[in-house]
């Protein structure tokens, strides 16, 4: 099997397995995992940004860092990185065949395959100083949670995946906090009172130490068309490469964790935040000589974050090319955008977990500037209808962002 055949094989393994089953697989693999070097990151929004920022800070401090994330935008190898560089196709295949040989007839889902391949690559091949694993979904039952770990990071919590995680914020928080185990160090954003009480219970139950992210504020330079964002922290004031208050919140969470891991050196290395790159998060690209923003905001909380960011931009109209997965609250997301006085909305479809155009609702289809299942046609129409004083933004799904980004790069 070559790289393409390996990817095709694991992409067609869809059944998820129980934690007990996965723990048995982990025992069979018997990889040399040091829990003191493992950081598991859960939360509703901001996991990837927080992971990328923490990884950048640790690399800048001279550490060798593994980073496992999802989803990918263009190529599966993006999900497994060493020191910021994607795993090679050769090493990807080697990791697959090693895991496959060890587990024999045991079955794994797509995400589970990648999780175990990452564990092998980080600890058996690269001998990392730290491995950062972004939880795929929830926490308690996610395959990343069976990796022995000393450190946890919890980003902002909000309503998402209710059909799996629960219909209240407390139920969702319980699932996310499921990554906490005995004697863990847990770094987290500020919890509201309900979740704070829950975290106190977990701290006592597992003898875990919860460390809240430090206070911060943001400064914004709006002297140019596109703003520049700065985060002000106890460690210093740093220019951010990622925009908005939510990016600042995630950066400060990463800084808080890094300060602990590095022995109070956040003030020394905090400037690395300026170099954090996380594609598909209000990412500026060129297409047909126009500026296009790619922003994979895939739930109402993410759309609100996008709306908050746009307050700092200078523009007349915003043309949103949006496709939403079938398991998301598309009605709420669309209402948020259609309610904006400056918005022009172009409806399209994602490439995975597809919600067909005709299921967005007649009301929104009628209001839309354009509706098509073809993502590139939707983008082209948005460019055609926009002026140089407008913004064109692709949003609603990282799958959609990946499809359009791939087209732009081709």
């Amino acid at each position: 099997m070559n790289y393409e055949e390996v990817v095709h094989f694991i992409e067609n393994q869809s059944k998820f397995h129980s934690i007990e089953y996965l723990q048995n697989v982990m025992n069979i693999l018997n990889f040399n995992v040091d829990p003191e070097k493992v950081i598991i990151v859960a939360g509703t929004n901001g996991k990837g940004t927080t992971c990328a920022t923490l990884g950048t800070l640790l690399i800048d401090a001279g550490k060798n860092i593994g980073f496992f994330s999802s989803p990918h935008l263009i190529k599966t190898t993006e999900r497994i990185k060493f020191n910021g560089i994607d795993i090679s196709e050769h090493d990807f295949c080697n990791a697959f065949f090693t895991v496959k040989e060890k587990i024999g007839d045991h079955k794994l889902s797509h995400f589970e395959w990648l999780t175990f391949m990452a564990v092998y690559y980080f600890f058996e091949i690269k001998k990392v100083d730290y491995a950062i694993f972004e939880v795929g979904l929830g926490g308690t039952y996610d395959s990343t949670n069976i990796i022995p770990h000393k450190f946890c990071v919890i980003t902002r919590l909000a309503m998402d995946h209710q059909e799996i995680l629960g219909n209240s914020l407390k139920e969702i928080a319980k699932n996310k906090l499921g990554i906490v185990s005995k004697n863990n160090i847990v770094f987290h954003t500020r919890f509201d009172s309900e979740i704070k009480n829950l975290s106190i219970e977990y701290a006592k139950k597992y003898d875990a130490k919860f460390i809240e992210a430090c206070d911060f504020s943001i400064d914004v330079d709006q002297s140019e068309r596109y703003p520049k964002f700065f985060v002000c922290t106890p460690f210093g004031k740093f220019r951010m490469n990622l925009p908005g208050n939510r990016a600042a919140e995630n950066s400060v969470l990463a800084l808080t964790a890094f300060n602990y891991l590095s022995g109070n050196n956040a003030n020394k290395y905090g400037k690395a935040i300026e170099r954090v790159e996380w594609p598909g998060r209000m990412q500026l690209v060129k297409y047909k000589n126009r500026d296009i923003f790619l922003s994979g905001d895939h739930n109402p909380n993410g759309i609100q974050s996008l709306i908050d960011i746009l307050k700092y931009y200078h523009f007349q109209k915003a043309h949103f090319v949006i496709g939403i997965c079938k398991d998301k609250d598309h009605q709420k997301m669309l209402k948020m955008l259609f309610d904006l006085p400056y918005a022009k909305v172009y409806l399209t479809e994602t490439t995975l977990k597809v919600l067909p155009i005709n299921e967005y609702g007649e009301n929104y289809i009628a209001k839309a500037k354009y509706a098509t299942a073809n993502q590139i046609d939707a983008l082209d129409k948005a460019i055609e209808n926009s002026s140089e004083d407008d913004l064109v933004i692709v949003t609603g799904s990282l799958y959609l962002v990946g499809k359009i980004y791939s087209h732009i790069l081709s």
Side-chain angles (χ1 to χ4, degrees):
M1 295 171 71
N2 59 25
Y3 169 75
E4 288 76 16
E5 290 168 334
V6 169
V7 170
H8 178 75
F9 173 82
I10 63 175
E11 283 183 344
N12 283 279
Q13 311 305 306
S14 58
K15 181 183 177 183
F16 286 88
H17 298 87
S18 69
I19 284 295
E20 292 76 18
Y21 179 93
L22 295 175
Q23 186 61 63
N24 182 50
V25 172
M26 189 71 172
N27 294 339
I28 292 170
L29 291 170
N30 195 31
F31 293 144
N32 188 31
V33 178
D34 182 353
E36 299 279 342
K37 296 181 177 181
V38 179
I39 305 165
I40 306 292
V41 183
T44 305
N45 289 84
K47 296 189 298 293
T49 304
T50 303
C51 290
T53 303
L54 179 56
T56 299
L57 289 163
L58 288 166
I59 292 168
D60 208 58
K63 303 297 183 181
N64 289 316
I65 303 301
F67 174 23
F68 174 70
S69 64
S70 65
H72 59 276
L73 292 184
I74 298 174
K75 192 173 181 180
T76 306
T77 50
E78 296 169 25
R79 295 179 181 230
I80 303 174
K81 299 180 187 292
F82 174 70
N83 286 347
I85 299 172
D86 299 350
I87 187 173
S88 67
E89 292 183 2
H90 175 272
D91 286 342
F92 185 92
C93 290
N94 179 56
F96 168 77
F97 290 124
T98 300
V99 172
K100 192 173 189 297
E101 181 179 5
K102 283 181 173 288
I103 67 174
D105 294 332
H106 285 78
K107 305 296 183 183
L108 296 173
S109 73
H110 177 218
F111 188 82
E112 291 159 3
W113 269 110
L114 293 170
T115 300
F116 290 121
M117 289 164 61
V119 172
Y120 168 74
Y121 183 64
F122 295 156
F123 288 98
E124 299 293 330
I125 302 300
K126 291 301 185 180
K127 315 293 186 183
V128 296
D129 294 309
Y130 289 104
I132 303 170
F133 288 87
E134 178 187 355
V135 169
L137 176 62
T140 302
Y141 306 107
D142 194 81
S143 60
T144 58
N145 197 28
I146 54 92
I147 305 168
H149 55 280
K150 173 71 173 180
F151 303 102
C152 302
V153 179
I154 309 290
T155 68
R156 178 177 286 268
L157 302 177
M159 301 298 288
D160 196 18
H161 293 293
Q162 290 96 311
E163 75 286 357
I164 298 173
L165 303 182
N167 291 311
S168 71
L169 191 57
K170 187 173 182 179
E171 289 178 336
I172 289 172
K174 283 183 178 180
N175 199 297
K176 306 288 187 181
L177 288 169
I179 66 171
V180 179
S181 56
K182 188 70 174 176
N183 296 321
N184 276 177
I185 307 296
V186 185
F187 308 97
H188 62 92
T189 56
R190 181 169 295 171
F191 296 139
D192 63 24
S193 58
E194 184 179 34
I195 307 306
K196 181 69 174 178
N197 291 335
L198 188 62
S199 69
I200 292 171
E201 291 178 22
Y202 275 72
K204 291 179 179 178
K205 180 178 179 180
Y206 294 105
D207 197 21
K209 183 178 182 180
F210 278 68
I211 300 174
E212 185 175 283
C214 63
D215 291 333
F216 72 94
S217 62
I218 66 170
D219 280 346
V220 186
D221 180 355
Q222 293 178 268
S223 60
E224 300 177 10
R225 184 184 182 191
Y226 301 147
K228 298 175 182 177
F229 293 87
F230 300 82
V231 60
C232 306
T233 79
F235 313 116
K237 179 178 178 179
F238 309 110
R239 164 81 186 276
M240 296 190 301
N241 197 35
L242 302 174
N245 192 76
R246 191 61 52 79
E249 178 181 83
N250 298 328
S251 297
V252 167
L253 178 57
L255 273 168
T256 301
F258 171 77
N259 194 56
Y260 183 96
L261 296 170
S262 66
N264 300 313
N265 274 319
N267 58 334
K268 181 179 179 181
Y269 294 103
K271 193 174 175 62
I273 288 176
E274 296 180 5
R275 299 194 302 279
V276 174
E277 293 186 359
W278 196 228
R281 281 72 176 179
M282 204 56 183
Q283 177 187 6
L284 178 61
V285 297
K286 284 283 188 182
Y287 176 64
K288 294 188 173 180
N289 295 317
R290 291 292 303 278
D291 287 352
I292 308 295
F293 286 93
L294 306 178
S295 193
D297 313 291
H298 53 274
N299 54 36
N301 200 42
I303 293 294
Q304 186 57 56
S305 178
L306 172 61
I307 293 170
D308 292 341
I309 289 171
L310 292 180
K311 295 174 184 177
Y312 299 104
Y313 285 72
H314 301 297
F315 62 93
Q316 295 297 317
K317 297 290 183 183
H319 299 256
F320 295 98
V321 178
I322 184 167
I324 303 172
C325 292
K326 63 183 179 182
D327 59 348
K328 301 296 182 179
D329 189 350
H330 67 279
Q331 291 288 320
K332 186 171 183 179
M333 293 168 68
L334 290 175
K335 184 178 188 306
M336 293 170 75
L337 292 183
F338 276 104
D339 283 351
L340 298 173
Y342 54 76
K344 302 293 182 183
V345 179
Y346 303 74
L347 298 176
T348 189
E349 297 177 358
T350 59
T351 55
L352 291 172
K353 302 179 182 178
V354 177
L355 180 69
I357 289 286
N358 60 9
E359 293 185 23
Y360 281 119
E362 293 182 4
N363 181 44
Y364 291 126
I365 294 173
K367 288 181 179 180
K369 190 75 175 173
Y370 191 67
T372 175
N374 187 301
Q375 300 89 359
I376 309 307
D377 283 351
L379 176 60
D380 288 342
K381 185 63 69 171
I383 292 173
E384 177 186 324
N385 290 339
S386 64
S387 73
E388 291 291 343
D389 294 326
D390 296 343
L391 297 181
V392 176
I393 303 164
V394 179
T395 190
S397 163
L398 283 167
Y399 299 122
L400 172 62
V401 164
K403 168 70 174 180
I404 287 182
Y405 192 30
S406 180
H407 176 76
I408 289 172
L409 293 177
S410 65

